[in-house]
Amino acid sequence: MAQNGTEFNPRFRELHPSKWDATVYTLNYVFEYNDHIFDILLSPRAISGYDATHSIESQCLQRMEDASFCDGDETQRNLTLGVQATESGPLHTLMYPKVINLQVVTKEGKLMAVKRDDLPAHDFHPPITNPRVLGISLPHYQVSIIQVLNELFETVYKVIINGEVICAKLARNSTHDSISDEINKLYEIQTANFSSVVRVPLLMGLIGSHTGIVGFLMAYIPTYRHNLEYALRCAKATLGADDRHRDGTPLPATTVSKARREKWSRQIEETLAALHSRNIVWGDAKTANVLIDEVTDDAWVVDFGGGNTKGWIDRELHGSTEGDQQALRRIKKELAEDWVLGEDGHSFDCTVEK
C-alpha cells in the first residue's frame, strides 16, 4: 500500500499484448508498484462463485478481440519481465521479483479483483538448453553474486562481480534461441585466435540460476554516446539536423570529425573481413550494433543474436555473409556522408563523398 500523502504512481514493466490459446482470448496487464509486480488477468473462464455469463470482463475481452487488439500472427505471447533501466541491486532479486497474481471478475454485476495464489509461477528467464552452450568450458557465475549497476540496452546490463565491471546479457522468452546462437558465435570467435583487428567483446562466462544457465557475461565497453547510431544522430543535430529525443529534449552536442568516421568505417570492415574468413556471420548488422569505446575511440561490433532490422539487410540475405556485406556498405555510406546544413538553416542535407 502507498504511504499516506503519496500518489499512486505505478511503474509499468511492460504492457503485454493479449495472449491466445487454442480457444480462449485472455489479457495480462502488468505493472510494478512498491517493489511488487502485479499481474492482472482478464479471462472469460470464470472462477467458481463468480458470474460466468455476461461478465463484464468477458464483454471487455470480446470488444478487444473484435477490434483485433492482439497480433493474430502469433498463437501466444508469453509474459516476460526483466530488470528495469533505473534499477540496481542484486541480480537475483531483480530477475525474480515478488509477483502478486490478480484476476478481474464479476460478482452480482459488479467488477472486482481477486487474488490468485493457485496460478503457476512465471519463469521470466527460462534456462538455456542448447547442448553446445551447456558444453562450453567457461566460468559460471551465480546470479546471487552479481550486482546490477544499470541497464545498457534491452536485456543487457552493466554489472559488477568481485569488484570487476562486466556486461551481462540475460535470456528472455523472446530471445531464447538467439541468445544461444550469440553465445556459440562469441565462443567461436574467442577460440579462433583472431588478431587484435577483430573488435568483438570477450566472452567471460555464463550466468547461472536455480533453473540453469540464464545468460552470459562479456567484457564491458565504456561507450561514447551509447552506440554509433546515436553518436551520428547527435553529431548531425549539433550541425542543425531537426532531430530530438522522443520526449522532445535536445540531443547532446557532439562533434564527429571526418577522420574519426573513416577510422570507424575501416575498423568495422576489418572486423567483418576477419569474421567472414571463418564463415562467422554478424547477422543484425547496423550502426546501432556498433559501440564506440569512449577511452580508445575504437569501433566494436556487438549483438550476434541473429536479428534483422528493416532497412539494413534484405530479407533473402539475412543470416549470410552477403547480408553482412550489404549492411556494411550502408554503414560505410552513413559514415562517408558529408553533412551540410540547408540554406534555410533548418533542413539537413547529406551527400556521399567521392
Side-chain angles (χ1 to χ4, degrees):
M1 297 293 293
Q3 296 178 356
N4 292 335
T6 63
E7 293 185 20
F8 176 69
N9 187 24
R11 179 172 59 199
F12 294 94
R13 287 275 181 145
E14 293 182 28
L15 179 56
H16 299 275
S18 307
K19 300 193 291 185
W20 288 89
D21 61 25
T23 58
V24 177
Y25 182 97
T26 65
L27 174 73
N28 283 81
Y29 189 72
V30 184
F31 66 91
E32 179 182 5
Y33 183 64
N34 277 3
D35 298 323
H36 286 68
I37 301 299
F38 291 84
D39 181 2
I40 303 176
L41 170 67
L42 275 75
S43 172
R45 291 173 173 158
I47 304 174
S48 177
Y50 296 91
D51 297 358
T53 58
H54 306 296
S55 67
I56 298 174
E57 65 273 16
S58 293
Q59 295 174 41
C60 179
L61 288 169
Q62 185 61 55
R63 291 176 183 174
M64 291 180 182
E65 185 175 2
D66 292 343
S68 299
F69 183 79
C70 80
D71 183 359
D73 293 335
E74 297 186 17
T75 57
Q76 183 172 350
R77 291 288 186 92
N78 292 319
L79 175 67
T80 55
L81 300 177
V83 184
Q84 295 299 291
T86 57
E87 289 181 336
S88 62
L91 181 59
H92 183 275
T93 302
L94 300 176
M95 285 177 64
Y96 305 105
K98 172 66 175 177
V99 179
I100 297 176
N101 292 293
L102 302 172
Q103 182 170 345
V104 176
V105 295
T106 303
K107 188 173 181 66
E108 297 177 356
K110 295 182 179 180
L111 201 63
M112 61 179 62
V114 295
K115 196 164 183 278
R116 292 288 304 272
D117 294 324
D118 57 322
L119 295 178
H122 292 294
D123 192 352
F124 303 142
H125 302 277
I128 296 170
T129 57
N130 184 285
R132 288 185 61 193
V133 172
L134 299 181
I136 288 177
S137 179
L138 281 173
H140 288 208
Y141 297 88
Q142 291 298 307
V143 294
S144 58
I145 69 166
I146 301 175
Q147 294 286 320
V148 174
L149 299 177
N150 61 276
E151 184 183 59
L152 300 173
F153 307 97
E154 185 180 5
T155 76
V156 182
Y157 311 95
K158 181 180 179 181
V159 303
I160 187 167
I161 303 176
N162 299 327
E164 183 177 6
V165 175
I166 304 176
C167 186
K169 188 168 187 176
L170 298 178
R172 297 273 287 278
N173 284 329
S174 59
T175 63
H176 194 264
D177 292 332
S178 66
I179 199 170
S180 295
D181 293 340
E182 183 165 18
I183 293 171
N184 286 322
K185 284 185 181 181
L186 290 176
Y187 189 67
E188 186 177 356
I189 293 169
Q190 190 161 315
T191 55
N193 296 317
F194 283 117
S195 68
S196 59
V197 299
V198 176
R199 295 175 179 85
V200 175
L202 181 69
L203 182 64
M204 302 184 68
L206 301 176
I207 302 173
S209 77
H210 60 286
T211 61
I213 303 300
V214 293
F216 67 91
L217 298 164
M218 55 187 164
Y220 171 68
I221 307 299
T223 56
Y224 171 79
R225 293 295 182 230
H226 201 58
N227 57 41
L228 180 57
E229 177 186 60
Y230 186 65
L232 295 180
R233 284 182 59 197
C234 293
K236 292 176 183 179
T238 301
L239 291 175
D242 185 14
D243 192 4
R244 289 175 172 266
H245 292 120
R246 289 183 179 180
D247 63 3
T249 58
L251 297 172
T254 300
T255 301
V256 180
S257 68
K258 177 182 176 182
R260 292 176 74 194
R261 288 185 276 127
E262 289 176 343
K263 171 187 172 181
W264 298 338
S265 180
R266 182 180 68 255
Q267 289 180 333
I268 298 167
E269 186 170 18
E270 289 172 347
T271 295
L272 270 190
L275 295 178
H276 289 174
S277 71
R278 300 292 185 93
N279 293 316
I280 300 173
V281 176
W282 183 3
D284 195 10
K286 57 183 179 180
T287 51
N289 284 336
V290 176
L291 305 183
I292 304 301
D293 191 319
E294 67 179 10
V295 178
T296 65
D297 205 42
D298 290 326
W300 292 76
V301 169
V302 299
D303 196 349
F304 288 80
N308 186 20
T309 303
K310 185 177 179 180
W312 291 98
I313 299 175
D314 295 342
R315 183 180 294 274
E316 62 271 17
L317 297 179
H318 178 233
S320 68
T321 55
E322 291 82 4
D324 279 0
Q325 288 297 327
Q326 181 184 60
L328 175 63
R329 290 191 293 271
R330 290 171 174 172
I331 292 172
K332 290 175 67 67
K333 180 180 178 181
E334 284 211 19
L335 290 169
E337 287 174 342
D338 184 19
W339 304 332
V340 180
L341 184 64
E343 294 181 358
D344 59 3
H346 298 287
S347 62
F348 198 77
D349 300 320
C350 294
T351 59
V352 178
E353 298 172 347
K354 302 297 184 181

